[in-house]
Amino acid sequence: MRTQVAISGGGPSGLLLSQLLHRKGIDTVVLERKTKDYVLGRIRAGILEVGFVNLMREAGVADRMDKECFAHDGTVISFGETQFNIDFKELTGSNVVVYGQTEVTRDLYEAREAMGGQIVFNTENVTIHGADSDAPHVTYSVDGTDHRIDCDYVAGCDGFHGISRQTIPLSIRKEYEKLYPFGWLGVLSETPPVNDELIYSGSERGFALCSMRNENLSRYYIQCSLSDAPEDWTDDAFWAELKRRIPAEYADKLVTGPSIEKSIAPLRSFVTEPMRWGRLFLCGDAAHIVPPTGAKGLNTAASDIHYLYNGLVQMYETGKSDGIDQYSEKALARIWKAERFSWSTTNLLHRFPDQNAFDLKMQKADVDFLRGNREAQSVFAQNYVGLPY
Ligand code: RFL
Ligand code: PHB
């Protein structure tokens, strides 16, 4: 088989790139290790920047999102007894929208199917060959049968555990990583959200986040120990702990119900450099991970796709390579800023096991400064709604 761009990974990065390129007449094949149902079953991001929304519009997949998403013009920050609002709209003129990653992925799958896009599920042993040559190819197998795709370029969109990043030799690849000594326990429940804006809450028992998907679907998280398993937490124990970590006015009106999903994610900051090796381009979680505190994971994937898509279109339409030549540098410049914001918001609101009384005072001083300083709030808001592409 031959295609122009072979894409490893059928998550949001791979699907969005495939859809955008297809609309410009550029042929792609997406190779996905899991089934479609498995990919759609992963409950992950909930907050999209305007840049992501615009890319979905450009990809022609924004109809349902435009109807069903909720614009959020601000957020509540709480820390102990301190509580305040950061008004994104007033401070930046922009906002974010609530629309789940599951819905983004569903819309992209539907659009790919409607256009006859090629997505191969249940692939095994995807291997990228000759990425540093002029004629790369990808091999894989499905149900024990081996296949080969010859291509012009390979997009590595196969997430943190994918094979694309490992294809770049260690002599060239440099990885930067920070692991946090806690995870997030997330619960999805068919209950109305406790507030119309998200609540990011630091408390002496640890961090909590109140988020949502729609009027009757709420998403809540609490900081938990890395040794916890979801089964260790009954629904009752989860709700009781959440209530202890959020301001009383919200705890009192929180509507609880059975969880329909419960999972634990470890928190990690990670960046690999460079994001391009020859004709292989890494995108999204394959190249970088942020702790979810800043809601930046999916949104940084979108900016990668924006740079790569425009670079490839330029290459195919004009023969000029400056877009793809600058891909790694441009993508990394934006990613490091998102890494900084996600790291600092995590440090601001979580309890760390080794924190002493001085560290706690520093954290409180940081929060107090943010509460009382419009410029500091403006910096937070600019980062949260998303830095320009
Ligand atoms: P994905 O979604 O991991 O998709 C990669 C796909 O590649 C497949 N794959 C392979 N396919 C073929 N061969 C192989 N060898 C393969 N290995 C893997 C996988 O099966 C998968 O389908 O990466 P992608 O597309 O780059 O998308 C990234 C986002 O999923 C991720 O950044 C976000 O979910 C992060 N994130 C959030 N991001 C936000 O922007 N806003 C948020 O509010 C937000 N909240 C979150 C989050 C992530 C979370 N978790 C669980 C890590 C909340 C949580 C709890
Ligand atoms: C979510 O709704 O899943 C969500 C929202 C904001 C975050 C992280 C996750 O910062």
Side-chain angles (χ1 to χ4, degrees):
M1 196 185 339
R2 183 167 169 88
T3 190
Q4 287 170 300
V5 182
I7 301 177
S8 175
S13 299
L15 294 171
L16 186 56
L17 181 65
S18 168
Q19 173 70 9
L20 285 161
L21 291 175
H22 198 150
R23 283 166 59 92
K24 291 282 181 183
I26 299 167
D27 189 48
T28 66
V29 176
V30 176
L31 303 175
E32 167 56 48
R33 188 176 55 163
K34 303 283 188 182
T35 63
K36 181 172 148 188
D37 286 346
Y38 182 93
V39 177
L40 288 174
R42 289 191 294 224
I43 312 294
R44 287 184 165 185
I47 297 286
L48 307 182
E49 297 172 357
V50 168
F52 193 106
V53 171
N54 289 340
L55 216 47
M56 290 284 280
R57 293 201 180 118
E58 191 163 349
V61 286
D63 287 355
R64 193 164 72 95
M65 182 183 70
D66 282 336
K67 272 193 223 102
E68 294 179 10
C69 77
F70 295 86
H72 277 209
D73 292 346
T75 190
V76 175
I77 307 275
S78 124
F79 190 80
E81 300 306 303
T82 310
Q83 193 191 312
F84 56 100
N85 174 275
I86 297 184
D87 189 333
F88 306 146
K89 196 77 188 179
E90 205 234 327
L91 291 161
T92 69
S94 190
N95 57 6
V96 290
V97 305
V98 169
Y99 192 67
Q101 178 167 336
T102 318
E103 307 310 315
V104 168
T105 313
R106 189 184 303 283
D107 294 344
L108 284 164
Y109 272 132
E110 275 175 17
R112 294 289 48 235
E113 280 157 17
M115 287 178 79
Q118 292 187 78
I119 305 175
V120 186
F121 291 101
N122 296 315
T123 55
E124 287 174 296
N125 302 322
V126 171
T127 311
I128 300 164
H129 309 265
D132 58 341
S133 77
D134 286 343
H137 71 274
V138 179
T139 55
Y140 62 97
S141 58
V142 179
D143 294 334
T145 306
D146 295 335
H147 301 268
R148 170 181 170 135
I149 304 180
D150 291 281
C151 55
D152 301 332
Y153 300 100
V154 182
C157 303
D158 46 18
F160 184 66
H161 301 287
I163 51 89
S164 300
R165 185 174 68 251
Q166 323 295 342
T167 306
I168 304 181
L170 276 171
S171 57
I172 290 167
R173 175 159 47 105
K174 177 124 179 67
E175 299 189 339
Y176 302 83
E177 183 171 52
K178 180 176 178 62
L179 299 173
Y180 299 84
F182 40 72
W184 277 20
L185 168 64
V187 156
L188 191 68
S189 71
E190 283 168 334
T191 51
V194 68
N195 187 39
D196 56 3
E197 286 182 350
L198 269 61
I199 304 169
Y200 286 88
S201 184
S203 83
E204 61 180 26
R205 299 183 65 90
F207 174 79
L209 170 62
C210 304
S211 182
M212 66 194 75
R213 292 293 177 270
N214 60 44
E215 304 95 324
N216 199 39
L217 196 55
S218 296
R219 182 71 166 157
Y220 296 104
Y221 298 96
I222 56 174
Q223 174 185 347
C224 66
S225 163
L226 282 173
S227 58
D228 286 1
E231 315 77 79
D232 300 339
W233 286 86
T234 62
D235 288 356
D236 286 347
F238 178 85
W239 294 121
E241 189 57 33
L242 178 66
K243 284 184 183 182
R244 291 188 200 108
R245 295 186 188 190
I246 58 176
E249 66 170 288
Y250 299 110
D252 291 345
K253 63 178 183 190
L254 181 77
V255 180
T256 64
S259 62
I260 54 172
E261 194 265 0
K262 199 184 277 161
S263 53
I264 291 183
L267 266 62
R268 179 196 305 272
S269 296
F270 174 87
V271 180
T272 192
E273 292 186 346
M275 285 172 57
R276 175 202 185 170
W277 183 53
R279 288 173 174 255
L280 167 65
F281 299 85
L282 303 180
C283 305
D285 279 16
H288 42 78
I289 298 287
V290 285
T293 326
K296 289 283 156 259
L298 186 56
N299 290 304
T300 45
S303 55
D304 295 350
I305 298 302
H306 164 87
Y307 296 127
L308 182 56
Y309 158 62
N310 283 296
L312 288 172
V313 169
Q314 182 198 35
M315 184 68 202
Y316 280 111
E317 288 183 354
T318 70
K320 292 205 178 84
S321 68
D322 39 303
I324 54 174
D325 289 344
Q326 288 162 14
Y327 169 72
S328 181
E329 200 187 323
K330 276 193 179 172
L332 284 165
R334 190 173 187 277
I335 280 149
W336 276 114
K337 293 183 194 118
E339 290 282 343
R340 190 209 63 79
F341 177 66
S342 307
W343 162 84
S344 75
T345 314
T346 304
N347 288 338
L348 186 71
L349 296 173
H350 289 72
R351 278 284 163 139
F352 287 73
D354 59 353
Q355 244 170 346
N356 64 21
F358 181 83
D359 298 327
L360 289 170
K361 285 284 188 191
M362 290 298 95
Q363 218 177 17
K364 168 107 177 46
D366 264 347
V367 174
D368 284 344
F369 186 73
L370 181 62
R371 184 189 54 177
N373 188 290
R374 191 183 152 86
E375 281 74 30
Q377 289 194 10
S378 170
V379 168
F380 184 99
Q382 284 174 55
N383 280 282
Y384 197 91
V385 301
L387 298 173
Y389 285 4

